[in-house]
């Protein structure tokens, strides 16, 4: 039985396969309407979510399966003090696969060690978010047509942003990748992420405090929200939250084929005036999330893709 806790558990060949399956689903969704008939997905969300939870649920429904779950820790027995290990032991009796989001780093890993069904990490604290990364990889491959030879700018909260950590890990395995890390001093990429992925593979990278200076180099600009819920002080959050606001003006020197991404939700970091720019890909990116999750659910449930 396979789980997905960290994106690095998937080889690049497996990621290619998931992206190809998702591409086939996008072309012909009707062919997959019964792929997971009689299977049930449980979504255990101990932390808020819109896209991740609903795209998981939409994915299972479109595969012909059923969904159940909770979207707030308060409405589950966690509020009574039940452990994650006990919760998954019980929910594994009601479902075939579980997607879990938790504010504590490592909770989905603990869950996987106690589960009789596959566990998918749908975000654990400021740590990892592998299915967002699969979404990001599908988006890049659909829009840029490749996953190699790209200069990727990551901008905003690179410290607490789990989507950034998983994306750096995944992209570090492709040829010709360069990272431009754009953040204030206080929100830089954690040194463990740099050491394990960027430095270990000798990936060229630069760090910048300003977005405008590096804009012309970028093939991809990955904007992120400042993760308010992970700050120790509200004051610090308020001081840092508006450090980068992407406006049409700042895009003047950007490449014509720049791909602007954001895992969403956006707060202030991309002006709505950017939405009509053809380079804005974030809503399409959210849409792709459903298709890659369909491919992932099929893989973990060992459902053959007959198409
Ligand atoms: C992200 C998350 O939850 O980590 N959103 C998502 O899953 N699409 C990013 C965020 O919350 O800022």
């Amino acid at each position: 039985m396979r789980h997905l806790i960290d994106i690095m558990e998937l080889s690049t060949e497996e990621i290619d396969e998931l992206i190809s399956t998702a591409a086939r689903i996008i072309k012909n969704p009707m062919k997959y309407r019964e792929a997971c008939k009689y299977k049930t997905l449980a979504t255990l969300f101990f932390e808020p979510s819109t896209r991740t939870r609903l795209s998981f649920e939409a994915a299972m429904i479109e595969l012909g399966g059923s969904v159940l779950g909770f979207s707030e820790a308060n409405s589950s027995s966690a509020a009574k003090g039940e452990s994650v290990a006990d919760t998954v032991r019980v929910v594994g009796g009601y479902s075939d696969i579980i997607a879990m989001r938790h504010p504590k780093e490592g909770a989905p890993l603990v869950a996987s060690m106690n589960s009789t069904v596959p566990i998918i990490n749908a975000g654990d604290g400021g740590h990892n978010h592998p299915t967002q990364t699969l979404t990001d990889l599908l988006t890049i491959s659909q829009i840029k047509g490749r996953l190699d030879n790209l200069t990727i700018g990551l901008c905003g909260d690179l410290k607490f942003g789990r989507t950034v950590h998983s994306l750096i890990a995944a992209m570090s395995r492709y040829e010709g990748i360069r990272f431009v890390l754009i953040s204030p001093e206080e929100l830089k990429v954690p040194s463990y992420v740099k050491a394990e992925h960027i430095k270990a593979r000798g990936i060229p990278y630069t760090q910048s405090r300003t977005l405008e200076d590096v804009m012309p180099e970028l093939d991809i600009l990955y904007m992120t929200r400042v993760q308010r819920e992970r700050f120790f002080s509200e004051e610090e959050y308020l001081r840092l939250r508006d450090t980068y606001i992407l406006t049409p003006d700042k895009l003047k020197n950007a490449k014509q084929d720049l791909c602007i991404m954001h895992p969403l939700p956006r707060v202030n970091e991309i002006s709505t005036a950017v939405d009509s720019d053809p380079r804005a890909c974030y809503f399409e990116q959210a849409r792709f999330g459903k298709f890659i999750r369909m491919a992932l659910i099929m893989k973990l449930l060992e459902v053959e893709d007959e198409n």
Side-chain angles (χ1 to χ4, degrees):
M1 185 176 60
R2 292 275 300 266
H3 305 281
L4 179 60
I5 306 302
D6 186 310
I7 191 71
M8 299 309 267
E9 294 160 12
L10 294 171
S11 66
T12 49
E13 291 74 26
E14 286 178 306
I15 287 179
D16 286 349
E17 231 174 81
L18 287 169
I19 289 175
S20 311
T21 305
R24 282 194 295 278
I25 299 173
I26 291 170
K27 284 212 178 100
N28 222 327
M30 287 312 287
K31 287 201 169 154
Y32 294 83
R33 283 310 299 216
E34 301 206 328
C36 291
K37 206 174 165 185
Y38 307 125
K39 298 284 184 191
T40 300
L41 163 82
T43 51
L44 309 187
F45 276 60
F46 295 87
E47 209 187 52
S49 168
T50 301
R51 270 149 298 276
T52 305
R53 184 172 61 83
L54 294 182
S55 69
F56 263 115
E57 296 188 358
M60 192 48 150
I61 290 167
E62 293 196 17
L63 290 168
S66 311
V67 295
L68 51 83
F70 56 80
S71 52
E72 282 181 79
N74 283 346
S75 68
S76 78
S77 282
K80 299 178 186 167
E82 185 171 53
S83 69
V84 158
D86 282 5
T87 304
V88 297
R89 274 192 203 111
V90 172
V91 176
Y94 309 148
S95 61
D96 302 289
I97 185 165
I98 295 175
M100 173 186 285
R101 169 170 288 189
H102 203 285
K104 288 212 177 97
E105 288 81 3
L109 175 65
V110 172
S112 70
M113 298 188 302
N114 291 280
S115 178
T116 52
V117 301
I119 300 282
I120 303 173
N121 177 6
D124 63 327
H127 194 209
N128 279 324
H129 194 345
T131 63
Q132 180 63 46
T133 296
L134 290 174
T135 303
D136 300 341
L137 298 179
L138 174 63
T139 306
I140 296 170
S141 115
Q142 290 271 321
I143 289 170
K144 304 295 291 181
R146 64 182 193 276
L147 289 170
D148 52 9
N149 297 307
L150 293 164
T151 297
I152 305 171
L154 297 145
C155 176
D157 187 346
L158 310 187
K159 179 179 180 188
F160 297 116
R162 55 195 173 195
T163 64
V164 168
H165 307 158
S166 295
L167 185 59
I168 287 176
M171 291 306 303
S172 296
R173 294 193 293 193
Y174 295 93
E175 293 288 314
I177 295 300
R178 257 190 74 223
F179 291 115
V180 182
L181 308 174
I182 310 146
S183 75
E185 187 61 31
E186 296 86 340
L187 299 177
K188 279 163 99 173
V189 173
S191 44
Y192 83 90
V193 175
K194 255 187 246 164
E196 270 176 40
H197 305 294
I198 305 181
K199 290 184 182 162
R201 289 179 193 268
I203 310 276
Y205 75 100
T206 52
Q207 304 194 87
S208 170
R209 289 218 192 171
T210 61
L211 183 51
E212 292 89 323
D213 293 352
V214 296
M215 190 67 90
E217 308 164 32
L218 307 180
D219 298 308
I220 290 170
L221 171 59
Y222 195 93
M223 296 294 294
T224 61
R225 174 179 72 91
V226 176
Q227 306 276 302
R228 181 182 203 159
E229 64 277 33
R230 317 239 183 264
F231 274 74
F232 289 111
S233 106
E234 179 73 2
E235 213 183 355
E236 177 92 334
Y237 164 72
L238 293 174
R239 189 169 63 78
L240 293 170
R241 72 168 178 189
D242 293 333
T243 315
Y244 305 104
I245 299 179
L246 184 64
T247 55
D249 198 48
K250 289 189 184 156
L251 285 165
K252 273 194 189 127
N253 296 324
K255 288 188 182 170
Q256 279 315 306
D257 63 349
L258 171 72
C259 171
I260 307 167
M261 300 173 67
H262 190 309
L264 303 178
R266 112 176 108 186
V267 184
N268 256 341
E269 55 282 355
I270 302 180
S271 142
T272 52
V274 174
D275 296 356
S276 54
D277 189 303
R279 293 169 290 189
C281 301
Y282 28 94
F283 289 114
E284 213 178 349
Q285 181 185 356
R287 197 175 68 86
F288 287 136
K290 178 181 72 180
F291 300 110
I292 200 75
R293 289 183 174 100
M294 290 171 81
L296 178 67
I297 290 169
M298 286 175 61
K299 179 179 173 66
L300 296 182
L301 289 178
E302 298 177 13
V303 174
E304 282 295 319
D305 180 3
E306 285 160 6
N307 306 298

